[in-house]
């Protein structure tokens, strides 16, 4: 081997050693999984927060801040390195991996105001190495399912009916009467409808005043794509009047008193027997 070849070989070995020295503290990461490993499943109702679990145990010999990435098959979701962070276009102001938790090995992704479009498989990676030489270490795959809200309510005639919109994604509410098959629009975001039987919006809720028997049916809150964020089945019952309640109570009391009194024929028989014996 010539002196020039030996010099180049030595330079290559020095470079490899330097890279190894940089990467080794990071590669003490215990991820224990690969992209082919079992996917973790989690779910959230639309409009609520979701947490995609992720844990990375590491022993650092340097003071480097962990560099974490989350992505889906199609999009970049979130990336953090110290104070610097990046949020994908569809996740602006909705995604975060808190720095304090990340420094303790918790790389979980926190999503706010979950949307149906958020459903899918997410992957987390730890980025290691210097700026010129970076590698990604796979940590965890998480499949997120997003489901709608389903509730059943019962209200009395004349009472208020309060229905939750759950999220700013709500754009419309439609209604189907229990005795009908057609749907009618009761509320639209930004529209002002001042008619009897239509709700008022307040603090993320729709409020119907003084419901009637015709208020019974199915209420759906829809997003901009026409997908149902929530479905509520409402039953309307008639209140029991105080006078009717008192009448029922009196009838019940009289019934008990009648049952406790001996029949007249038994009294007559007893008196006749008493007279015959002592005559």
């Amino acid at each position: 081997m010539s002196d020039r070849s030996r010099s180049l070989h030595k330079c290559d070995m020095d470079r490899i050693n330097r890279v190894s020295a940089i990467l080794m503290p990071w590669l003490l990461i215990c991820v224990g999984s690969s992209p082919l490993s079992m996917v973790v499943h989690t779910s959230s109702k639309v409009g609520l927060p979701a947490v995609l679990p992720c844990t990375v145990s590491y022993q650092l010999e340097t003071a480097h801040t962990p560099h974490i990435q989350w992505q889906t098959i199609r999009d970049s979701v979130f990336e953090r390195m110290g104070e610097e962070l990046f949020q994908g276009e569809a996740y602006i102001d909705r995604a975060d991996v808190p720095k304090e938790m990340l420094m303790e090995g918790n790389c979980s992704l926190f999503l706010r105001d979950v949307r149906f479009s958020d459903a899918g498989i997410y992957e987390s990676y730890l980025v290691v190495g210097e700026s010129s030489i970076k590698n990604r270490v796979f940590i965890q795959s998480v499949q997120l399912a997003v489901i709608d809200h389903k509730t059943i309510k019962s209200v009395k005639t004349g009472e208020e009916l309060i229905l939750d919109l759950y999220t700013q994604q709500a754009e419309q509410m439609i209604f189907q009467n229990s005795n009908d098959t057609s749907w009618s629009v009761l509320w639209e975001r930004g529209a002002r409808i001042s008619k009897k039987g239509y709700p008022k919006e307040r603090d993320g809720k729709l409020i119907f005043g003084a419901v009637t028997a015709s208020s019974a049916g199915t209420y759906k809150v829809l997003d901009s794509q026409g997908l149902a964020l929530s479905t509520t089945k409402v039953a309307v019952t008639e209140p029991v009047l105080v006078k009717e309640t008192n009448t029922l109570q009196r009838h019940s009391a009289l019934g008990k008193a009648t049952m406790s009194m001996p029949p007249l024929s038994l009294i007559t028989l007893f008196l006749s027997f008493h007279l015959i014996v002592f005559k």
Side-chain angles (χ1 to χ4, degrees):
M1 182 182 293
S2 65
D3 292 342
R4 178 179 175 78
S5 297
R6 282 195 295 270
S7 177
L8 290 173
H9 179 69
K10 185 176 184 301
C11 289
D12 290 341
M13 291 301 296
D14 289 343
R15 183 182 177 188
I16 292 172
N17 290 335
R18 286 198 301 273
V19 172
S20 298
I22 292 169
L23 295 181
M24 282 307 294
W26 289 92
L27 294 181
L28 290 172
I29 303 162
C30 304
V31 293
S33 56
S34 70
L36 299 177
S37 64
M38 185 178 296
V39 177
V40 174
H41 294 264
T42 188
S43 65
S44 175
K45 289 187 176 181
V46 64
L48 299 184
V51 180
L52 279 59
C54 169
T55 302
V56 56
S57 301
Y58 52 84
Q59 298 175 358
L60 295 177
E61 296 177 2
T62 65
H64 288 96
T65 302
H67 183 176
I68 197 77
Q69 291 180 345
W70 277 92
Q71 67 178 49
T72 64
I73 296 174
R74 297 186 302 268
D75 304 311
S76 293
V77 177
F78 183 84
E79 184 172 355
R80 176 183 285 282
M81 184 174 65
E83 298 296 335
E84 297 181 21
L85 60 85
F86 165 82
Q87 294 172 323
E89 183 178 354
Y91 299 89
I92 292 175
D93 296 329
R94 296 198 305 119
D96 191 20
V97 177
K99 178 184 174 183
E100 296 76 14
M101 297 178 66
L102 182 57
M103 291 299 293
E104 296 176 356
N106 187 341
C107 47
S108 299
L109 177 67
F110 290 76
L111 293 178
R112 293 176 53 252
D113 194 19
V114 170
R115 305 169 181 173
F116 286 124
S117 58
D118 293 338
I121 294 179
Y122 292 71
E123 294 180 345
S124 56
Y125 293 86
L126 194 68
V127 182
V128 298
E130 291 187 331
S131 57
S132 58
I133 307 171
K134 286 187 177 293
N135 291 287
R136 296 201 311 165
V137 179
F138 175 81
I139 304 173
Q140 182 68 65
S141 286
V142 181
Q143 182 164 16
L144 173 64
V146 181
I147 54 181
D148 62 328
H149 301 261
K150 286 184 169 60
T151 55
I152 298 175
K153 284 181 174 285
S154 178
V155 293
K156 293 183 175 63
T157 301
E159 291 183 345
E160 284 187 340
L161 171 62
I162 302 175
L163 300 178
D164 205 326
L165 291 174
Y166 294 105
T167 169
Q168 286 297 312
Q169 300 170 52
E171 293 291 335
Q172 189 180 70
M173 172 176 278
I174 59 176
F175 168 70
Q176 183 186 63
N177 187 277
S178 297
N179 301 317
D180 200 352
T181 57
S182 61
W183 292 87
S184 58
V185 177
L186 296 183
W187 171 85
E188 287 185 308
R189 186 173 296 283
R192 292 186 177 181
I193 305 176
S194 300
K195 294 182 180 179
K196 185 178 180 181
Y198 286 75
K200 294 181 179 180
E201 182 183 355
R202 186 169 67 231
D203 299 329
K205 300 178 186 299
L206 294 181
I207 302 172
F208 297 80
V211 300
T212 63
S214 62
S215 303
T218 303
Y219 296 75
K220 287 181 179 286
V221 176
L222 310 179
D223 66 7
S224 59
Q225 304 300 314
L227 299 175
L229 301 171
S230 68
T231 301
T232 306
K233 291 187 178 296
V234 175
V236 179
T237 59
E238 293 292 335
V240 179
L241 300 178
V242 175
K243 184 177 180 180
E244 292 179 355
T245 303
N246 292 338
T247 301
L248 289 173
Q249 289 175 345
R250 285 199 300 272
H251 287 171
S252 177
L254 287 172
K256 290 180 180 178
T258 303
M259 289 298 292
S260 62
M261 292 174 63
L264 182 59
S265 58
L266 290 178
I267 296 174
T268 304
L269 180 62
F270 174 78
L271 292 174
S272 300
F273 176 78
H274 184 69
L275 290 173
I276 292 170
V277 171
F278 293 98
K279 186 173 179 182

